[in-house]
Amino acid sequence: MAERIDGKAMARAMLAETTAAVADLEARGISPALAVVLVGADPASEVYVGRKVRECEKAGIRSIEHRLAADTDEDALIALIDEMNVDGAIHGILIQLPLPAHINASRVLDRITPGKDVDGFHPVNVGRLSTGTGGLVPCTPLGIMKLLDSVIEDYRGLDAVVIGKSNIVGKPVAMLLLEREATVTVTHIETKGLPDIARKADIIVAAAGAPHLVRGYWVKEGAVVIDVGITRVTDHDGHTKIVGDCATHELEHARAVTPVPGGVGPMTIACLLANTVSAARATLESEPA
Ligand code: NAD
């Protein structure tokens, strides 16, 4: 029977470590702070922002919320980022996506100073990740690696198949797996013969947003499967539930799988807080002794 990797428990443990790290920084005169910017009132974004702010509070991280009207001008948002970039009391800046259509998201995200880019989306951080030279790593891929690390000690030579090639999950997780010297195949909607490719993998990271895409016959005996997908579906009785990318009930021959919910999701927030603490600690290290 496949082991269920408990993302909730791992996230709790990480949050405890973050809380201790915050206390340590406080003792050294730094109060880690995360600024969260929400433009408009997208209900899902409201939920995500609320969750991030609550978790910050639990860990002792100060959160500063900027809730802007849906018709906020792009230049006004850029001006706010410029202010936060030079504000020494703010260590992390998070712009909740998606932004309204009239705003050029990449111009906005590129404006965040790389040292405060706790989402790891700035081209400098993307470049650092692809050259293996540090920087802030996107939260979901970071969480995925921590989940994998709980069951895999040595990645060298393992075959990893990543399903999905987005900038926020698929590509960065592929880079992290490459750094560990796994042999990585990145696949997407146009990939031919995906079940056969997946069946050769020791590690599958499914980040397609396609409910129950990964079936039992796609997965070889003993593989480790990380299910990143989150799709909200309504069943016949009108109940809404969250479904992942894997038909988990068909994967008992795998070595380990992550549940949805309770796998990658909680780790994403835990990694956001950890990134905020890293960004705060880096300011301490860059100060003259
Ligand atoms: P995206 O839409 O940007 O990218 C999806 C990728 O999957 C694309 O590269 C596409 O080509 C590929 N794809 C789609 N359908 C496919 C199919 N049938 N076969 C093969 N490839 C297919 O999505 P994203 O932002 O990377 O998110 C992916 C999923 O992960 C979504 O369900 C999202 O909600 C979820 N997600 C979860 C977390 C978390 O914290 N748990 C964080 C980010 C994203």
Side-chain angles (χ1 to χ4, degrees):
M1 186 162 156
E3 175 188 339
R4 296 285 184 277
I5 307 175
D6 187 346
K8 264 194 203 164
M10 283 185 63
R12 265 198 305 275
M14 257 190 95
L15 288 172
E17 279 172 27
T18 298
T19 308
V22 170
D24 178 58
L25 282 170
E26 295 272 3
R28 297 158 81 179
I30 294 200
S31 296
L34 173 68
V36 183
V37 181
L38 177 62
V39 185
D42 174 63
S45 294
E46 295 262 8
V47 171
Y48 293 140
V49 165
R51 210 175 282 162
K52 288 167 188 172
V53 167
R54 264 198 315 281
E55 292 299 322
C56 275
E57 277 165 13
K58 279 193 216 159
I61 294 174
R62 196 163 65 86
S63 62
I64 302 119
E65 279 178 81
H66 290 278
R67 290 173 178 268
L68 309 180
D71 62 355
T72 297
D73 178 64
E74 185 176 310
D75 287 333
L77 183 53
I78 293 278
L80 173 63
I81 292 171
D82 286 346
E83 255 174 56
M84 296 191 293
N85 279 342
V86 294
D87 183 341
I90 291 177
H91 305 99
I93 301 173
L94 183 148
I95 311 291
Q96 184 64 44
L97 299 177
L99 286 167
H102 70 279
I103 293 180
N104 177 343
S106 59
R107 180 172 172 240
V108 167
L109 297 179
D110 291 2
R111 193 75 171 204
I112 300 171
T113 195
K116 296 189 181 189
D117 169 40
V118 284
D119 259 337
F121 295 158
H122 191 284
V124 165
N125 284 319
V126 175
R128 290 214 167 278
L129 178 60
S130 62
T131 51
T133 52
L136 287 160
V137 176
C139 307
T140 301
L142 198 56
I144 292 169
M145 292 310 295
K146 287 182 189 295
L147 291 163
L148 283 171
D149 286 347
S150 73
V151 285
I152 299 173
E153 213 171 294
D154 188 354
Y155 291 75
R156 285 176 298 175
L158 294 182
D159 286 314
V161 169
V162 178
I163 307 176
K165 61 161 186 73
S166 74
N167 291 332
I168 65 166
V169 189
K171 285 183 201 161
V173 87
M175 289 297 167
L176 291 166
L177 286 161
L178 265 181
E179 274 307 302
R180 309 286 180 96
E181 295 185 344
T183 303
V184 184
T185 305
V186 184
T187 65
H188 47 80
I189 189 83
E190 300 295 346
T191 299
K192 294 188 186 77
L194 185 49
D196 289 335
I197 296 170
R199 205 165 26 242
K200 295 198 180 82
D202 303 299
I203 299 167
I204 296 177
V205 177
H212 293 176
L213 175 71
V214 178
R215 303 286 310 274
Y217 71 94
W218 290 37
V219 175
K220 88 170 173 192
E221 180 101 35
V224 177
V225 184
I226 304 292
D227 190 348
V228 190
I230 296 179
T231 307
R232 235 166 266 276
V233 297
T234 307
D235 64 18
H236 300 304
D237 304 328
H239 298 301
T240 305
K241 60 175 183 170
I242 287 172
V243 178
D245 282 356
C246 300
T248 313
H249 55 284
E250 296 179 7
L251 303 188
E252 290 308 337
H253 59 293
R255 176 171 156 211
V257 299
T258 58
V260 174
V264 177
M267 290 299 284
T268 296
I269 296 194
C271 289
L272 170 69
L273 271 50
N275 273 353
T276 305
V277 166
S278 302
R281 194 180 291 122
T283 62
L284 191 69
E285 282 154 11
S286 63
E287 275 171 18

